[in-house]
Amino acid sequence: MDVNSSHGFPFAIVGFDLDGTLLDTSGDLTAAVNHALGSIGRAPLSVEAVKPMIGGGARAMLRHGLDATGGHDAETLDRLHHLLLEYYEAHLAVHTAPFPGAIEALDELAARGVTLGIMTNKLERFARAILGALDLTDRFASIIGGDTLGVAKPSPRPIQALVEQCGGGKAAFVGDSIFDVQAARAARLPVITCSFGFLSQSVEALGGDAIIDSYAELIPTLTRLSPSAT
């Protein structure tokens, strides 16, 4: 029997991406990128310019930032990657906050008996530090980073581990990038995409099973979404 059958809710587990899905981390990530760029005299990037670079991990984000401001070589990328991580670790939650309505949605899911998890390509220690700073850690039965298992999205393994750590059962994933969609698909989970996320292409082009424009739409969308959507 589905653990949520008494509530009439189709999912026992809902997993979330972090950056651009649950949390707006763009301000702090942009500051970290600009700190690294500034160290070699590059012009700073706007938050809107950095948003599409987020999602594949800090190194990929920095590589995009370097390419947007004059290019890069391997040695520079390695050196500035360390500089970016040092700065970011010291400034994780200056501007970062949950997207509007996210906490209310988490509350409602918990009230329905749904177990919650996080799977992000961010380093696990950074994810845990941010969630701790925002007093959100205890809401999640599983917190998996891009380095936790040695593989990140789009591999399905971290999402599969999230489901296992949350106790197993029917699960859905919520994200904002092609990595989220590819990983959820490969893990055979339905996936909801967020139009308010850090999109590198149109949200429609991501090919999720459903789109939400705000967290007010999450519970109704999950209620309509079949666990066998994929």
Side-chain angles (χ1 to χ4, degrees):
M1 178 181 294
D2 191 311
V3 296
N4 284 47
S5 60
S6 63
H7 297 275
F9 199 69
F11 298 101
I13 299 162
V14 177
F16 294 86
D17 174 51
L18 201 61
D19 300 276
T21 298
L22 192 64
L23 304 179
D24 184 352
T25 56
S26 59
D28 291 325
L29 288 171
T30 298
V33 169
N34 285 336
H35 177 75
L37 294 175
S39 72
I40 58 170
R42 299 284 180 90
L45 295 169
S46 69
V47 170
E48 292 306 312
V50 172
K51 280 183 179 180
M53 303 175 184
I54 300 168
R59 187 181 180 86
M61 177 180 64
L62 176 61
R63 185 179 69 248
H64 291 311
L66 285 166
D67 287 343
T69 57
H72 76 279
D73 56 63
E75 186 278 330
T76 300
L77 180 59
D78 286 342
R79 178 166 54 85
L80 295 193
H81 183 218
H82 291 297
L83 187 65
L84 182 153
L85 294 179
E86 289 176 358
Y87 180 90
Y88 187 55
E89 190 162 21
H91 304 84
L92 283 164
V94 177
H95 305 290
T96 292
F99 281 102
I103 300 304
E104 291 80 1
L106 295 179
D107 286 341
E108 185 169 349
L109 287 169
R112 291 171 180 261
V114 177
T115 303
L116 307 175
I118 294 286
M119 196 288 116
T120 172
N121 279 354
K122 186 187 295 294
L123 295 174
E124 181 183 337
R125 75 178 191 273
F126 289 175
R128 288 187 177 276
I130 292 170
L131 292 168
L134 299 176
D135 198 25
L136 296 175
T137 306
D138 291 345
R139 292 175 177 268
F140 301 101
S142 174
I143 301 171
I144 297 175
D147 61 329
T148 303
L149 301 178
V151 292
K153 296 173 292 193
S155 169
R157 284 177 51 200
I159 290 182
Q160 292 166 337
L162 179 152
V163 173
E164 292 170 5
Q165 291 178 13
C166 287
K170 298 295 186 181
F173 196 75
V174 184
D176 72 316
S177 76
I178 192 63
F179 304 116
D180 296 319
V181 173
Q182 291 173 340
R185 286 260 184 267
R188 301 186 65 80
L189 267 61
V191 56
I192 294 172
T193 52
C194 304
S195 67
F196 50 83
F198 303 156
L199 303 175
S200 59
Q201 56 192 307
S202 73
V203 69
E204 292 81 8
L206 296 177
D209 295 294
I211 296 169
I212 58 171
D213 296 321
S214 74
Y215 267 100
E217 299 175 8
L218 180 61
I219 304 300
T221 300
L222 284 166
T223 301
R224 293 191 303 269
L225 195 62
S226 166
S228 59
T230 57

